Short mmCIF file of all heavy atoms in Angstrom, two decimals:
data_model
loop_
_atom_site.label_atom_id
_atom_site.label_comp_id
_atom_site.label_asym_id
_atom_site.label_seq_id
_atom_site.Cartn_x
_atom_site.Cartn_y
_atom_site.Cartn_z
N ILE A 1 -66.19 -56.26 2.05
CA ILE A 1 -66.86 -56.30 0.75
C ILE A 1 -66.10 -56.97 -0.28
O ILE A 1 -66.67 -57.70 -1.09
CB ILE A 1 -67.26 -54.90 0.33
CG1 ILE A 1 -68.26 -54.21 1.30
CG2 ILE A 1 -67.77 -54.78 -1.05
CD1 ILE A 1 -68.51 -52.66 0.99
N VAL A 2 -64.86 -56.74 -0.27
CA VAL A 2 -64.01 -57.46 -1.30
C VAL A 2 -63.98 -58.91 -1.02
O VAL A 2 -64.01 -59.78 -2.04
CB VAL A 2 -62.53 -56.87 -1.22
CG1 VAL A 2 -61.59 -57.66 -2.08
CG2 VAL A 2 -62.55 -55.39 -1.65
N PHE A 3 -63.92 -59.42 0.27
CA PHE A 3 -63.97 -60.81 0.54
C PHE A 3 -65.23 -61.49 0.10
O PHE A 3 -65.29 -62.46 -0.40
CB PHE A 3 -63.64 -61.04 2.01
CG PHE A 3 -62.23 -61.07 2.44
CD1 PHE A 3 -61.77 -60.15 3.38
CD2 PHE A 3 -61.40 -62.08 1.83
CE1 PHE A 3 -60.43 -60.23 3.74
CE2 PHE A 3 -60.06 -61.99 2.22
CZ PHE A 3 -59.54 -61.17 3.13
N VAL A 4 -66.36 -60.81 0.39
CA VAL A 4 -67.66 -61.29 -0.08
C VAL A 4 -67.65 -61.41 -1.53
O VAL A 4 -68.25 -62.39 -2.07
CB VAL A 4 -68.79 -60.42 0.53
CG1 VAL A 4 -70.15 -60.79 -0.06
CG2 VAL A 4 -68.88 -60.48 2.03
N GLY A 5 -67.18 -60.36 -2.24
CA GLY A 5 -67.15 -60.30 -3.64
C GLY A 5 -66.32 -61.51 -4.24
O GLY A 5 -66.73 -62.10 -5.23
N ILE A 6 -65.22 -61.84 -3.65
CA ILE A 6 -64.44 -62.91 -4.15
C ILE A 6 -65.11 -64.20 -4.00
O ILE A 6 -65.10 -65.04 -4.93
CB ILE A 6 -63.06 -62.95 -3.36
CG1 ILE A 6 -62.26 -61.71 -3.79
CG2 ILE A 6 -62.31 -64.20 -3.57
CD1 ILE A 6 -60.87 -61.60 -2.94
N ALA A 7 -65.79 -64.40 -2.83
CA ALA A 7 -66.53 -65.64 -2.53
C ALA A 7 -67.67 -65.83 -3.64
O ALA A 7 -67.86 -66.92 -4.14
CB ALA A 7 -67.09 -65.66 -1.16
N VAL A 8 -68.41 -64.75 -3.80
CA VAL A 8 -69.55 -64.90 -4.75
C VAL A 8 -69.03 -65.03 -6.16
O VAL A 8 -69.58 -65.85 -6.94
CB VAL A 8 -70.44 -63.57 -4.71
CG1 VAL A 8 -71.49 -63.55 -5.80
CG2 VAL A 8 -71.05 -63.42 -3.28
N ALA A 9 -67.98 -64.29 -6.53
CA ALA A 9 -67.38 -64.49 -7.88
C ALA A 9 -66.92 -65.87 -8.07
O ALA A 9 -67.04 -66.43 -9.22
CB ALA A 9 -66.27 -63.46 -8.04
N PHE A 10 -66.26 -66.48 -7.17
CA PHE A 10 -65.84 -67.81 -7.29
C PHE A 10 -66.96 -68.79 -7.57
O PHE A 10 -66.90 -69.65 -8.47
CB PHE A 10 -65.10 -68.38 -5.92
CG PHE A 10 -63.68 -68.21 -6.02
CD1 PHE A 10 -63.06 -67.50 -4.99
CD2 PHE A 10 -62.86 -68.72 -7.00
CE1 PHE A 10 -61.63 -67.23 -5.02
CE2 PHE A 10 -61.56 -68.62 -6.95
CZ PHE A 10 -60.85 -67.82 -5.95
N GLY A 11 -68.08 -68.59 -6.92
CA GLY A 11 -69.30 -69.42 -7.17
C GLY A 11 -69.85 -69.26 -8.57
O GLY A 11 -70.14 -70.21 -9.27
N PHE A 12 -69.96 -67.97 -9.03
CA PHE A 12 -70.61 -67.72 -10.34
C PHE A 12 -69.55 -68.21 -11.44
O PHE A 12 -70.05 -68.60 -12.53
CB PHE A 12 -70.78 -66.23 -10.48
CG PHE A 12 -72.21 -65.81 -10.04
CD1 PHE A 12 -72.29 -65.43 -8.72
CD2 PHE A 12 -73.19 -65.78 -10.92
CE1 PHE A 12 -73.64 -65.03 -8.23
CE2 PHE A 12 -74.53 -65.44 -10.49
CZ PHE A 12 -74.66 -65.04 -9.13
N ALA A 13 -68.25 -68.17 -11.23
CA ALA A 13 -67.23 -68.57 -12.18
C ALA A 13 -67.12 -70.07 -12.25
O ALA A 13 -66.35 -70.56 -13.11
CB ALA A 13 -65.88 -67.82 -11.95
N GLY A 14 -67.71 -70.75 -11.35
CA GLY A 14 -67.62 -72.22 -11.44
C GLY A 14 -66.32 -72.77 -10.82
O GLY A 14 -65.97 -73.86 -11.05
N PHE A 15 -65.82 -72.00 -9.91
CA PHE A 15 -64.52 -72.44 -9.21
C PHE A 15 -64.87 -73.10 -7.87
O PHE A 15 -64.22 -72.84 -6.83
CB PHE A 15 -63.62 -71.23 -9.01
CG PHE A 15 -63.06 -70.64 -10.22
CD1 PHE A 15 -62.76 -69.29 -10.35
CD2 PHE A 15 -62.91 -71.46 -11.42
CE1 PHE A 15 -62.24 -68.80 -11.49
CE2 PHE A 15 -62.47 -70.85 -12.56
CZ PHE A 15 -62.10 -69.56 -12.62
N GLY A 16 -65.96 -73.87 -7.78
CA GLY A 16 -66.44 -74.39 -6.51
C GLY A 16 -65.38 -75.20 -5.84
O GLY A 16 -65.06 -75.06 -4.61
N ASN A 17 -64.80 -76.19 -6.58
CA ASN A 17 -63.73 -77.05 -5.92
C ASN A 17 -62.54 -76.22 -5.51
O ASN A 17 -61.92 -76.55 -4.41
CB ASN A 17 -63.33 -78.15 -6.93
CG ASN A 17 -64.42 -79.16 -7.26
OD1 ASN A 17 -65.30 -79.30 -6.41
ND2 ASN A 17 -64.48 -79.69 -8.44
N PHE A 18 -62.23 -75.30 -6.34
CA PHE A 18 -60.95 -74.51 -5.94
C PHE A 18 -61.35 -73.61 -4.71
O PHE A 18 -60.49 -73.53 -3.85
CB PHE A 18 -60.63 -73.62 -7.16
CG PHE A 18 -59.50 -72.63 -6.89
CD1 PHE A 18 -58.22 -73.05 -6.81
CD2 PHE A 18 -59.77 -71.33 -6.58
CE1 PHE A 18 -57.20 -72.23 -6.50
CE2 PHE A 18 -58.74 -70.39 -6.34
CZ PHE A 18 -57.48 -70.90 -6.31
N LEU A 19 -62.50 -73.13 -4.64
CA LEU A 19 -62.97 -72.32 -3.51
C LEU A 19 -62.97 -73.19 -2.30
O LEU A 19 -62.57 -72.68 -1.17
CB LEU A 19 -64.32 -71.72 -3.70
CG LEU A 19 -64.87 -70.87 -2.66
CD1 LEU A 19 -64.04 -69.67 -2.38
CD2 LEU A 19 -66.31 -70.34 -3.04
N GLN A 20 -63.43 -74.41 -2.28
CA GLN A 20 -63.38 -75.19 -1.15
C GLN A 20 -62.00 -75.55 -0.70
O GLN A 20 -61.79 -75.49 0.47
CB GLN A 20 -64.13 -76.58 -1.52
CG GLN A 20 -64.34 -77.50 -0.27
CD GLN A 20 -65.14 -78.87 -0.68
OE1 GLN A 20 -65.55 -78.91 -1.94
NE2 GLN A 20 -65.36 -79.68 0.24
N SER A 21 -61.10 -75.85 -1.61
CA SER A 21 -59.71 -76.08 -1.23
C SER A 21 -59.19 -74.89 -0.60
O SER A 21 -58.44 -74.91 0.43
CB SER A 21 -58.94 -76.45 -2.44
OG SER A 21 -59.45 -77.73 -3.02
N LEU A 22 -59.49 -73.63 -1.24
CA LEU A 22 -58.95 -72.41 -0.71
C LEU A 22 -59.49 -72.14 0.78
O LEU A 22 -58.76 -71.73 1.59
CB LEU A 22 -59.32 -71.27 -1.60
CG LEU A 22 -58.79 -69.94 -1.21
CD1 LEU A 22 -57.26 -69.84 -1.28
CD2 LEU A 22 -59.38 -68.79 -2.15
N ALA A 23 -60.72 -72.46 0.97
CA ALA A 23 -61.34 -72.26 2.25
C ALA A 23 -60.65 -73.16 3.27
O ALA A 23 -60.39 -72.72 4.51
CB ALA A 23 -62.81 -72.55 2.27
N THR A 24 -60.37 -74.41 2.92
CA THR A 24 -59.67 -75.34 3.83
C THR A 24 -58.32 -74.79 4.22
O THR A 24 -58.00 -74.80 5.40
CB THR A 24 -59.53 -76.76 3.27
OG1 THR A 24 -60.97 -77.21 2.86
CG2 THR A 24 -58.90 -77.65 4.28
N ILE A 25 -57.57 -74.37 3.24
CA ILE A 25 -56.22 -73.79 3.51
C ILE A 25 -56.23 -72.58 4.35
O ILE A 25 -55.58 -72.41 5.27
CB ILE A 25 -55.53 -73.53 2.17
CG1 ILE A 25 -55.37 -74.87 1.37
CG2 ILE A 25 -54.24 -72.74 2.41
CD1 ILE A 25 -54.71 -74.61 -0.03
N ALA A 26 -57.29 -71.71 4.01
CA ALA A 26 -57.46 -70.44 4.76
C ALA A 26 -57.84 -70.80 6.28
O ALA A 26 -57.38 -70.07 7.18
CB ALA A 26 -58.57 -69.58 4.08
N ALA A 27 -58.66 -71.81 6.50
CA ALA A 27 -59.04 -72.18 7.82
C ALA A 27 -57.76 -72.61 8.63
O ALA A 27 -57.60 -72.22 9.86
CB ALA A 27 -60.10 -73.20 7.89
N ALA A 28 -57.00 -73.42 8.06
CA ALA A 28 -55.83 -73.90 8.72
C ALA A 28 -54.85 -72.77 8.97
O ALA A 28 -54.20 -72.74 10.07
CB ALA A 28 -55.15 -75.02 7.95
N ALA A 29 -54.71 -71.92 7.93
CA ALA A 29 -53.76 -70.79 8.15
C ALA A 29 -54.33 -69.86 9.21
O ALA A 29 -53.53 -69.31 10.06
CB ALA A 29 -53.71 -69.96 6.83
N THR A 30 -55.61 -69.67 9.37
CA THR A 30 -56.18 -68.82 10.28
C THR A 30 -55.99 -69.41 11.66
O THR A 30 -55.60 -68.60 12.71
CB THR A 30 -57.75 -68.62 10.10
OG1 THR A 30 -57.85 -68.08 8.77
CG2 THR A 30 -58.33 -67.68 11.17
N LEU A 31 -56.06 -70.70 11.86
CA LEU A 31 -55.80 -71.28 13.20
C LEU A 31 -54.41 -71.09 13.60
O LEU A 31 -54.12 -70.74 14.77
CB LEU A 31 -56.20 -72.84 13.10
CG LEU A 31 -56.08 -73.53 14.42
CD1 LEU A 31 -57.05 -72.99 15.52
CD2 LEU A 31 -56.38 -75.04 14.15
N ALA A 32 -53.47 -71.27 12.71
CA ALA A 32 -52.04 -71.15 13.08
C ALA A 32 -51.75 -69.76 13.37
O ALA A 32 -50.97 -69.46 14.30
CB ALA A 32 -51.13 -71.64 11.90
N ILE A 33 -52.20 -68.82 12.59
CA ILE A 33 -51.94 -67.35 12.77
C ILE A 33 -52.59 -66.89 14.05
O ILE A 33 -52.00 -66.17 14.75
CB ILE A 33 -52.50 -66.54 11.68
CG1 ILE A 33 -51.65 -66.80 10.40
CG2 ILE A 33 -52.47 -65.07 11.93
CD1 ILE A 33 -52.32 -66.16 9.06
N GLY A 34 -53.81 -67.52 14.41
CA GLY A 34 -54.46 -67.16 15.69
C GLY A 34 -53.64 -67.55 16.88
O GLY A 34 -53.57 -66.67 17.85
N PHE A 35 -53.00 -68.74 16.91
CA PHE A 35 -52.20 -69.04 18.04
C PHE A 35 -50.97 -68.23 18.09
O PHE A 35 -50.51 -67.79 19.17
CB PHE A 35 -51.78 -70.54 17.94
CG PHE A 35 -52.82 -71.48 18.32
CD1 PHE A 35 -53.41 -72.33 17.45
CD2 PHE A 35 -53.11 -71.53 19.69
CE1 PHE A 35 -54.34 -73.23 17.89
CE2 PHE A 35 -54.12 -72.44 20.18
CZ PHE A 35 -54.85 -73.25 19.20
N ALA A 36 -50.41 -67.82 17.00
CA ALA A 36 -49.14 -67.00 16.95
C ALA A 36 -49.45 -65.46 17.30
O ALA A 36 -48.56 -64.77 17.71
CB ALA A 36 -48.48 -67.12 15.54
N MET A 37 -50.69 -65.08 17.08
CA MET A 37 -50.91 -63.65 17.21
C MET A 37 -52.05 -63.42 18.26
O MET A 37 -52.90 -62.55 18.08
CB MET A 37 -51.39 -63.05 15.80
CG MET A 37 -50.39 -63.18 14.80
SD MET A 37 -50.91 -62.47 13.16
CE MET A 37 -51.06 -60.71 13.64
N GLN A 38 -51.92 -64.14 19.33
CA GLN A 38 -53.04 -64.01 20.40
C GLN A 38 -53.00 -62.61 21.00
O GLN A 38 -54.05 -62.03 21.16
CB GLN A 38 -52.76 -65.07 21.53
CG GLN A 38 -53.04 -66.47 21.01
CD GLN A 38 -52.82 -67.44 22.20
OE1 GLN A 38 -53.45 -67.26 23.25
NE2 GLN A 38 -52.01 -68.47 22.04
N ASP A 39 -51.77 -62.06 21.27
CA ASP A 39 -51.71 -60.67 21.84
C ASP A 39 -52.25 -59.65 20.88
O ASP A 39 -53.02 -58.74 21.24
CB ASP A 39 -50.31 -60.31 22.16
CG ASP A 39 -49.80 -61.16 23.40
OD1 ASP A 39 -50.63 -61.73 24.07
OD2 ASP A 39 -48.58 -61.27 23.47
N VAL A 40 -51.97 -59.77 19.50
CA VAL A 40 -52.51 -58.78 18.61
C VAL A 40 -53.86 -58.93 18.46
O VAL A 40 -54.62 -57.88 18.43
CB VAL A 40 -51.78 -59.15 17.19
CG1 VAL A 40 -52.38 -58.21 16.08
CG2 VAL A 40 -50.31 -58.89 17.24
N ILE A 41 -54.44 -60.11 18.38
CA ILE A 41 -55.95 -60.33 18.38
C ILE A 41 -56.60 -59.70 19.69
O ILE A 41 -57.63 -59.03 19.52
CB ILE A 41 -56.28 -61.70 18.18
CG1 ILE A 41 -55.70 -62.22 16.81
CG2 ILE A 41 -57.81 -62.02 18.23
CD1 ILE A 41 -55.91 -63.70 16.56
N ALA A 42 -55.96 -59.95 20.76
CA ALA A 42 -56.57 -59.52 22.02
C ALA A 42 -56.57 -57.88 21.98
O ALA A 42 -57.58 -57.36 22.43
CB ALA A 42 -55.75 -60.00 23.21
#
């Protein structure tokens, strides 16, 4: 719920470009963390 709230709040506040950059960074970080934490995720 908090994550959804942050995404919606970014849109209403006009932080679209910032949100897009943040999403790109988060996707790259998620990919790296995913490889490093395969056992934890499993």
